[in-house]
Amino acid sequence: MKRLIFTAMLCIAASYGFAQTTDSTKTTTDTVVTKKGLKIRFGLGNDAPYVSTYDTTTTITHSKAPGFSFGITFSRIDLGFATLLDHGSFTLSPKNQFLSYRQAKTANFGFDVVQFGYRFNSAFKIYVAGGFDWTNIRLRKDITIQRNAPVLTYTQDSIHYSKNRFSSSYLRIPLAFYYRSHEDSRGNYFRLVAGPEFGILLNGRVKQISEENGKQKFDDDYHFAKLRKGIFIRMGYGIMGIYAKYYFNDMFENSPDQQGLKNFSFGLTLGF
């Protein structure tokens, strides 16, 4: 996970377009206002998310023409906590106690790499995006989730694992309804984004570290849902915001004891 986050930070640095700019923006009264400052873009194209800093005390209102847009991006970078809900409860039922986890080390991480959308006006647009999403569950118990099993099952091990991580990776496809306020004197704005999100399973993995066996990785689908369906919301100002995601269908399929076990994630989001 640390290596993944470090790689993401490098990608963020590479994708930032830092530029000292002078922008001339026409208002609705055709008055041209000149402003200088720093603009950071999260991708390519005029519709890429950005954050600005301008040395003016005048509030600037951008007018963007309606139309379609398509672009490569590295944005909507989510980093937060993943929580398991067992029939709506934060406490796992006896059948799911083997999935007992360390909340502080159970994480959700994801980002988008492509988007296609339509802007209605300066304040509102819709878009569909594509990206990747990981859920990493840090298990408390010294167990091994079994591969190629008819249902989700495990073995109790006699050795201690300093790390026992149970994770899933998904291709995520959100449909976003996006609202933004007028820019303030610094060139930033408040935004609110919400909508449905679909996920296609890419892989499941168990990663273990112990003195006896060193580092081990085992890949399988582990009965993770092949297609997950949920909703998300993001809100924030400037470069940062908060997000929450909830998935309606169960985390696992074809495993009766895990019926009603769902995934809820929340945390910080960057560049949306």
Side-chain angles (χ1 to χ4, degrees):
M1 185 65 182
K2 293 179 181 177
R3 185 177 301 174
L4 184 62
I5 295 173
F6 178 71
T7 302
M9 294 302 103
L10 291 179
C11 293
I12 294 172
S15 65
Y16 281 171
F18 290 94
Q20 187 76 21
T21 61
T22 301
D23 293 341
S24 294
T25 304
K26 285 193 174 183
T27 65
T28 54
T29 58
D30 290 330
T31 301
V32 178
V33 182
T34 301
K35 53 182 182 175
K36 296 181 178 180
L38 183 69
K39 180 178 287 187
I40 305 170
R41 287 193 178 275
F42 291 83
L44 305 175
N46 293 331
D47 215 22
Y50 67 87
V51 62
S52 304
T53 303
Y54 290 110
D55 57 355
T56 178
T57 58
T58 305
T59 300
I60 307 297
T61 301
H62 279 296
S63 295
K64 292 191 175 181
F68 290 97
S69 63
F70 173 80
I72 304 299
T73 185
F74 185 73
S75 59
R76 295 174 285 278
I77 304 159
D78 300 330
L79 180 59
F81 298 104
T83 300
L84 306 188
L85 295 177
D86 196 333
H87 293 86
S89 172
F90 292 105
T91 301
L92 295 176
S93 63
K95 291 182 178 180
N96 291 319
Q97 278 297 315
F98 70 97
L99 292 172
S100 178
Y101 60 97
R102 302 179 188 277
Q103 178 66 80
K105 295 184 177 181
T106 295
N108 170 243
F109 176 68
F111 54 86
D112 289 340
V113 295
V114 65
Q115 71 178 48
F116 173 77
Y118 182 82
R119 177 179 294 279
F120 293 89
N121 52 47
S122 297
F124 182 70
K125 67 179 178 181
I126 61 173
Y127 61 83
V128 61
F132 302 95
D133 196 87
W134 292 264
T135 298
N136 298 314
I137 303 170
R138 182 67 71 87
L139 298 174
R140 289 181 177 274
K141 299 185 177 182
D142 296 323
I143 63 173
T144 298
I145 309 295
Q146 295 298 289
R147 293 183 291 177
N148 304 315
V151 296
L152 187 68
T153 188
Y154 67 97
T155 58
Q156 183 69 50
D157 298 334
S158 59
I159 62 177
H160 173 66
Y161 297 110
S162 59
K163 175 184 289 187
N164 194 3
R165 193 175 70 191
F166 185 34
S167 62
S168 62
S169 58
Y170 280 83
L171 172 68
R172 74 182 194 187
I173 307 172
L175 173 62
F177 297 86
Y178 175 102
Y179 167 79
R180 54 162 281 187
S181 66
H182 293 307
E183 291 185 5
D184 60 17
S185 59
R186 295 176 58 85
N188 293 319
Y189 45 84
F190 168 81
R191 72 206 83 174
L192 174 66
V193 191
E197 181 180 296
F198 303 92
I200 300 173
L201 180 66
L202 298 176
N203 192 32
R205 172 171 289 181
V206 169
K207 179 179 179 180
Q208 299 171 325
I209 299 178
S210 65
E211 290 186 1
E212 292 83 351
N213 299 326
K215 184 184 296 185
Q216 295 178 296
K217 296 179 182 179
F218 309 100
D219 291 338
D220 190 54
D221 64 15
Y222 291 108
H223 289 276
F224 282 110
K226 299 293 191 301
L227 175 67
R228 67 182 186 184
K229 296 158 282 188
I231 56 174
F232 71 91
I233 184 170
R234 293 183 179 89
M235 65 177 68
Y237 168 82
I239 198 170
M240 294 294 296
I242 57 176
Y243 80 95
K245 294 185 286 189
Y246 174 76
Y247 298 101
F248 297 115
N249 57 321
D250 295 340
M251 285 185 65
F252 304 97
E253 59 188 19
N254 302 320
S255 189
D257 286 349
Q258 280 66 57
Q259 287 183 359
L261 189 64
K262 302 183 186 298
N263 184 356
F264 171 70
S265 302
F266 64 94
L268 297 177
T269 191
L270 175 68
F272 70 108

